[in-house]
C-alpha cells in the first residue's frame, strides 16, 4: 500500500447487486487511469462470471473482497471469498462445438474468463479462495 | 434490461436494451417463452441496444433458441455490438445461433421459417 500504484479495493456481499456495483467502480477506475474501455469491459465480464460462480457455490452469506491493481502495465484483480474451498479452474471444459440441439452451457463462464484474460490463477490461502485475473494494458494518453 | 416488442410483416421483433446478466436473464427468458408460445413464424431479437452479456445471458438465449426450434419458429439474432459479438465468438455460440448483421437482413436471414431444419 506504499507503492503509489493505482489500486481499488471493494467489499461485496454474497448477492448479485455487488456485481453491478463493481462494474461501475471499474468504469470509474478506467476513466481515472486512462485504461481503454475495451479492457475495463473484459474485467467487468470476467469478474461477473467469477463472482456469479462464487455466489452460486458459496451461498449468500459470503464475504467477497476485490482488489484491483495497476502496476507496470499489468492490470490485475484478485477476488477473495471466505466460502468452502472451491477452485473455479477445476471444472471440466465446456462444450463449445456441438450443434444447438445438444449444446450445453455449463462451465462456460470460466471458459470466457480464460479467453478474456492473459492470466487466470487460483490459490487457497489463509482460509480464503483467491482467484487472480490479469491482463497487459497499454494506457491511453499517458504523459510519455 | 428493457425490452420492446415490434410487429413486422412476417416476424415478431423484440428489441433488447441494457445488460443481459445474472439478474436480468430470468425475466427475459419468461418474456421469450411468452413470445414463443404465440408461435410467430419468425422471432427476431434485435440486440443493437444490448451493451453487455454474460454466460447467464447466453444460457437463456440458448434455451430460448432450443425452445423456438422445437416449435418450428425461426429465431434470428441481429445487430450485435462488437463486445457482445466477441463473447458469442469465444463461447463458441456464434455458429449455433442464426445471426444477422442488421435487422433488415434478419427478416429474411436463413430463408423461410422452417426450411433449413
Amino acid at each position: 500500500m506504499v507503492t503509489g500504484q493505482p489500486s481499488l479495493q471493494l467489499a461485496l456481499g454474497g448477492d448479485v447487486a455487488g456485481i453491478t456495483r463493481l462494474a461501475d467502480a471499474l468504469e470509474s477506475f478506467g476513466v481515472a487511469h486512462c485504461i481503454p474501455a475495451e479492457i475495463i469491459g473484459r474485467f467487468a465480464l470476467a469478474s461477473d462470471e467469477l463472482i456469479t460462480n462464487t455466489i452460486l457455490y458459496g451461498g449468500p452469506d459470503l464475504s467477497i473482497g476485490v482488489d484491483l491493481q495497476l502496476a507496470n502495465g499489468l492490470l490485475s484483480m484478485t477476488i477473495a471469498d471466505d466460502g468452502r474451498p472451491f477452485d473455479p479452474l477445476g471444472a471440466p471444459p465446456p462444450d463449445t462445438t456441438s450443434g444447438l440441439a445438444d449444446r450445453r452451457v455449463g462451465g462456460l463462464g470460466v471458459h470466457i474468463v480464460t479467453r478474456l484474460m492473459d492470466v487466470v490463477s487460483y490459490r487457497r490461502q489463509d482460509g480464503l479462495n483467491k482467484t487472480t485475473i490479469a491482463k497487459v494494458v497499454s494506457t491511453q494518453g499517458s504523459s510519455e | 434490461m428493457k425490452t420492446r416488442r415490434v410487429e413486422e410483416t412476417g416476424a415478431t421483433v423484440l428489441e433488447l436494451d441494457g445488460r443481459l446478466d445474472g439478474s436480468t436473464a430470468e425475466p427475459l427468458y419468461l418474456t421469450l417463452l411468452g413470445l414463443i408460445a404465440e408461435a410467430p413464424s419468425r422471432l427476431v431479437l434485435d440486440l443493437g441496444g444490448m451493451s453487455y452479456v454474460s454466460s447467464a445471458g447466453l444460457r437463456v438465449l440458448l434455451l430460448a433458441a432450443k425452445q423456438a426450434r422445437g416449435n418450428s419458429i425461426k429465431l434470428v439474432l441481429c445487430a450485435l455490438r462488437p463486445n457482445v459479438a466477441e463473447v458469442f465468438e469465444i463461447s463458441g455460440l456464434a455458429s449455433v445461433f442464426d445471426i444477422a448483421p442488421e435487422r433488415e437482413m434478419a427478416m429474411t436471414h436463413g430463408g423461410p421459417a422452417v426450411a433449413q431444419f
Side-chain angles (χ1 to χ4, degrees):
Chain A
M1 291 299 131
V2 292
T3 58
Q5 300 283 10
S7 70
L8 169 75
Q9 284 78 34
L10 210 60
L12 309 175
D15 66 279
V16 289
I19 294 171
T20 36
R21 197 153 63 84
L22 174 58
D24 291 343
L26 270 170
E27 203 167 309
S28 305
F29 186 87
V31 170
H33 302 291
C34 301
I35 301 165
E38 184 263 335
I39 300 282
I40 292 298
R42 285 172 181 262
F43 275 83
L45 178 53
S47 58
D48 177 343
E49 298 293 353
L50 290 169
I51 294 172
T52 299
N53 260 356
T54 297
I55 293 172
L56 197 63
Y57 288 100
D61 299 326
L62 289 179
S63 293
I64 300 173
V66 175
D67 184 8
L68 186 71
Q69 304 276 345
L70 178 62
N72 305 316
L74 188 74
L75 185 62
S76 63
M77 177 191 281
T78 295
I79 301 168
D81 74 79
D82 59 357
R84 63 185 168 81
F86 172 67
D87 179 358
L89 306 177
D95 170 12
T96 55
T97 55
S98 60
L100 174 61
D102 302 317
R103 182 62 69 95
R104 291 163 287 107
V105 285
L108 202 51
V110 171
H111 172 75
I112 290 173
V113 174
T114 57
R115 293 289 303 269
L116 291 173
M117 292 290 141
D118 294 330
V119 178
V120 183
S121 68
Y122 167 84
R123 65 192 185 280
R124 181 79 184 176
Q125 187 184 47
D126 305 329
L128 300 173
N129 295 307
K130 292 187 177 181
T131 304
T132 298
I133 55 179
K135 186 154 183 66
V136 174
V137 180
S138 54
T139 52
Q140 301 165 327
S142 61
S143 55
E144 292 179 272
Chain B
M1 153 146 301
K2 287 187 202 148
T3 58
R4 192 170 81 99
R5 177 185 180 163
V6 183
E7 287 303 324
E8 303 262 7
T9 311
T12 294
V13 179
L14 191 70
E15 298 170 352
L16 276 56
D17 188 30
R19 290 169 56 90
L20 180 53
D21 59 16
S23 38
T24 56
E26 194 63 31
L28 176 70
Y29 185 52
L30 295 177
T31 301
L32 291 174
L33 286 186
L35 291 176
I36 289 166
E38 294 179 26
S41 59
R42 180 177 291 261
L43 178 57
V44 173
L45 303 185
D46 186 335
L47 308 186
M50 194 172 88
S51 56
Y52 179 92
V53 67
S54 70
S55 65
L58 292 176
R59 182 172 168 275
V60 299
L61 291 177
L62 191 65
L63 290 173
K66 287 184 181 185
Q67 197 78 26
R69 173 176 288 194
N71 289 273
S72 301
I73 297 165
K74 182 88 185 159
L75 186 133
V76 184
L77 312 183
C78 69
L80 280 65
R81 294 187 184 184
N83 63 313
V84 169
E86 188 192 4
V87 181
F88 274 78
E89 200 63 52
I90 65 180
S91 306
L93 285 171
S95 59
V96 171
F97 289 98
D98 281 312
I99 300 178
E102 293 167 21
R103 176 141 149 199
E104 272 159 37
M105 297 163 110
M107 295 303 168
T108 52
H109 185 87
V114 293
Q116 78 174 46
F117 303 131

